[in-house]
């Protein structure tokens, strides 16, 4: 179908159509990933680079977010997660978004980046400002937050140049010393703009998405006690529960791509420069799933598009899954009985479908498991 918003764009809603959009990088470019903004204001590296150049930048980052790297970080994830939750337990209530879902993945990220944990509050606020602006609610905030993120990492990169750390364990030193050879060119160091764009992408793509997904996960188990009891009785269900949260509560509503050439595609007369929009949220409710509009806690594992597909598939997918599983395990361990603590409607923020607030409450007369 065709949406007339802004300059207009074609919309794909089926699982196969959206998956092919992600995979057909020859036809659908990531030069712009916002369907209603063909000329982007921000640089999303490596997302905004098409193959084969994309692979040169992606290979730099893959080792830091591989399954093995995530496993090495697992104990630290759990320690951080448990600390945040156990600090909340005695109060019997909290805003689960503001007091947990934002802070936990941000501190994990800072640990991975070998940056000070005390920068958590600052990064929480600047990422909030960016997405509030990016959603259209306060456009001026997006530009200022973008500049603050780059200033923060510019200072950190300069410090690594002056006092390098072990590149085996410090990603910023690793990047400062790394080389790339895009399109078969001779290997060269990353430019300052490329380094800052990579850091910007890691922050905005990694922190807000996990925050949003944790919020909806806790919302689901607060409002579906029967599912909560099943996971408490059978902790092995945590893995399938997280996969169903990713499918059912798809927080990235969709992705845009720019058409690279004229082509008739699935009945759409595409022209070079046109924008298309793959509705990931619709694809994850496609008829390929049995009872797609039901949350099935033990659904047989079926691939979904929560982390996109193709060469631009989410770099941090393994980390996000791990953080979600740890969050659910630790929350249920410490707070097995909880409910939404408001009669007011819950509000989503645009850009990525994140709850702006999630008041939860629970009894406090028990000891965590």
């Amino acid at each position: 179908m065709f949406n007339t918003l802004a300059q207009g764009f074609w919309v794909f809603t089926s699982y196969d159509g959206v998956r092919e959009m992600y995979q057909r990088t020859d036809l659908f470019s990531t030069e712009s990933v916002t369907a209603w903004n063909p000329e982007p204001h921000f640089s999303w590296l490596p997302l905004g680079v098409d193959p084969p150049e994309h692979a040169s930048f992606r290979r730099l980052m893959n080792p830091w977010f591989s399954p093995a790297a995530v496993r090495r970080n697992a104990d630290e994830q759990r320690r951080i997660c448990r600390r945040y939750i156990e600090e909340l337990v005695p109060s019997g209530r909290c805003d689960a978004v503001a007091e947990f879902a934002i802070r936990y993945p941000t501190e994990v990220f800072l640990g991975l980046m070998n940056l000070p944990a005390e920068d958590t509050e600052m990064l929480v606020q600047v990422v909030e400002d960016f997405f509030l602006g990016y959603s259209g609610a306060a456009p001026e905030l997006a530009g200022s937050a973008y500049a603050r993120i780059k200033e923060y990492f510019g200072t950190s990169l300069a410090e690594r140049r002056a006092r390098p750390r072990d590149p085996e364990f410090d990603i910023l030193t690793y990047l400062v010393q790394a080389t790339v050879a895009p399109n078969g060119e001779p290997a060269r160091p990353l430019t300052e703009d490329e380094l800052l764009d990579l850091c910007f992408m890691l922050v905005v793509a990694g922190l807000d998405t996990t925050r949003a997904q944790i919020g909806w996960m806790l919302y689901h188990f607060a409002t579906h006690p029967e599912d909560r009891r099943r996971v408490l009785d059978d902790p092995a269900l945590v893995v399938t529960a997280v996969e169903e949260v990713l499918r059912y509560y798809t927080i990235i509503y969709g992705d845009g791509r720019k058409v690279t050439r004229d082509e008739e595609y699935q009945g759409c007369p595409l022209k070079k420069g046109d924008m298309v929009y793959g509705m990931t949220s619709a694809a994850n409710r496609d008829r390929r799933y049995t009872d797609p509009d039901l949350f099935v806690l033990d659904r047989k594992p079926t691939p979904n598009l929560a982390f996109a597909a193709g060469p631009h598939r989410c770099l941090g997918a393994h980390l996000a899954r791990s953080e979600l599983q740890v969050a659910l395990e630790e929350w249920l361990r410490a707070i097995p009985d909880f409910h939404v603590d408001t009669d007011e409607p819950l509000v989503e923020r645009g850009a990525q479908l994140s709850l702006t607030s999630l008041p939860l409450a629970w009894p406090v007369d028990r000891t965590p498991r």
Side-chain angles (χ1 to χ4, degrees), residues 45-46 55-66 113 171 174-175 190 198-199 202 315:
L45 188 68
S56 184
F57 294 99
R58 180 72 180 233
R59 279 195 295 268
L60 283 180
M61 307 306 299
N62 282 339
W64 296 88
F65 296 92
S66 67
M113 299 291 288
I171 189 171
Y174 164 82
L175 288 173
L190 290 152
L198 280 168
C199 292
L202 289 174
L315 174 69

Side-chain angles (χ1 to χ4, degrees), residues 21 31 88 140 146 194 199 251 328:
M21 182 201 76
E31 177 186 335
L88 295 172
E140 69 284 354
Y146 179 71
E194 288 169 342
C199 292
I251 55 95
L328 183 55

Side-chain angles (χ1 to χ4, degrees), residues 12 20-30 50-51 257-266 268 270-274 276:
F12 307 140
E20 187 171 354
M21 182 201 76
Y22 284 130
Q23 293 173 334
R24 287 283 308 277
T25 56
D26 63 311
L27 181 58
F28 301 113
S29 169
T30 59
D50 294 318
R257 295 290 188 267
K258 183 178 281 191
V259 178
T260 62
R261 61 176 181 269
D262 294 358
E263 183 170 313
E264 182 80 15
Y265 177 80
Q266 296 190 3
C268 300
L270 301 179
K271 300 293 183 184
K272 182 178 180 179
D274 281 354
V276 300

Side-chain angles (χ1 to χ4, degrees), residues 13 26-27 37 67 111 151 202 210 231 271 273 284 323 329 344:
T13 59
D26 63 311
L27 181 58
N37 182 16
E151 180 182 8
L202 289 174
T210 310
V231 177
K271 300 293 183 184
N284 281 344
E323 289 179 327
E329 289 167 354
E344 296 297 317

Side-chain angles (χ1 to χ4, degrees), residues 304-320:
N304 64 66
L305 297 174
F307 295 114
H312 291 96
R313 185 176 183 275
C314 177
L315 174 69
H318 301 299
L319 176 62

Side-chain angles (χ1 to χ4, degrees), residues 40-86:
H41 302 297
F42 306 103
S43 300
W44 305 87
L45 188 68
L47 175 61
V49 181
D50 294 318
E53 184 180 3
H54 168 266
S56 184
F57 294 99
R58 180 72 180 233
R59 279 195 295 268
L60 283 180
M61 307 306 299
N62 282 339
W64 296 88
F65 296 92
S66 67
V70 172
R71 285 193 296 271
R72 288 194 297 272
N73 181 251
D75 289 344
E76 184 69 359
Q77 287 179 47
R78 194 169 298 276
R79 182 190 66 78
I80 293 169
C81 183
R82 183 171 292 187
R83 189 187 78 239
Y84 275 107
I85 294 170
E86 291 188 347

